[in-house]
Amino acid sequence: MNSINEKEKKLNLALEELKNLDLTNPVLKNNIENLNLQKNQLEIEKNDLEKKYKELIDQNEILSKRLDEFRSKEKVEERKQIEFSEKIDELNQETDTLLEEIDKWQM
């Protein structure tokens, strides 16, 4: 994008210099017209690039939000997994205690 801006500046500078020249020379007139056409084309390209850049920024913002949502969901799932594991551990401990009690009563 910088190269387009630089080209645009150079063309504008060249056009300003050409405005001060004698325009009776047909070659100069033709060169000026060509430069104007190039300038217009560069402006069109610049506008297209700016539009695409804005679209990319918007898409990046949307994707960043989605990524944050996924990360948040992942943390919730991770927390649930840990809680589930803790519950299983508690149940295992209770089962062990009950088995010990049963063993005591059987003796």
Side-chain angles (χ1 to χ4, degrees), residues 44-57:
I44 290 169
E45 290 174 17
K46 175 186 168 191
N47 290 335
D48 287 345
L49 287 172
E50 286 175 343
K51 181 181 174 184
K52 288 178 183 178
Y53 178 74
K54 186 187 179 318
E55 289 172 0
L56 285 173
I57 293 294

Side-chain angles (χ1 to χ4, degrees), residues 39-93:
K39 177 187 171 207
N40 292 338
Q41 182 61 36
L42 285 173
E43 285 177 349
I44 290 169
E45 290 174 17
K46 175 186 168 191
N47 290 335
D48 287 345
L49 287 172
E50 286 175 343
K51 181 181 174 184
K52 288 178 183 178
Y53 178 74
K54 186 187 179 318
E55 289 172 0
L56 285 173
I57 293 294
D58 292 343
Q59 286 179 356
N60 183 45
E61 206 172 295
I62 290 168
L63 290 173
S64 292
K65 286 179 183 177
R66 287 183 65 194
L67 180 61
D68 288 343
E69 289 172 8
F70 282 127
R71 285 181 177 157
S72 177
K73 286 180 182 179
E74 184 180 30
K75 284 182 181 179
V76 167
E77 288 299 316
E78 201 173 282
R79 213 175 304 126
K80 285 180 180 179
Q81 181 101 17
I82 290 171
E83 288 174 4
F84 183 73
S85 291
E86 288 173 352
K87 293 284 185 188
I88 287 177
D89 285 345
E90 285 176 26
L91 285 171
N92 282 336
Q93 286 177 355

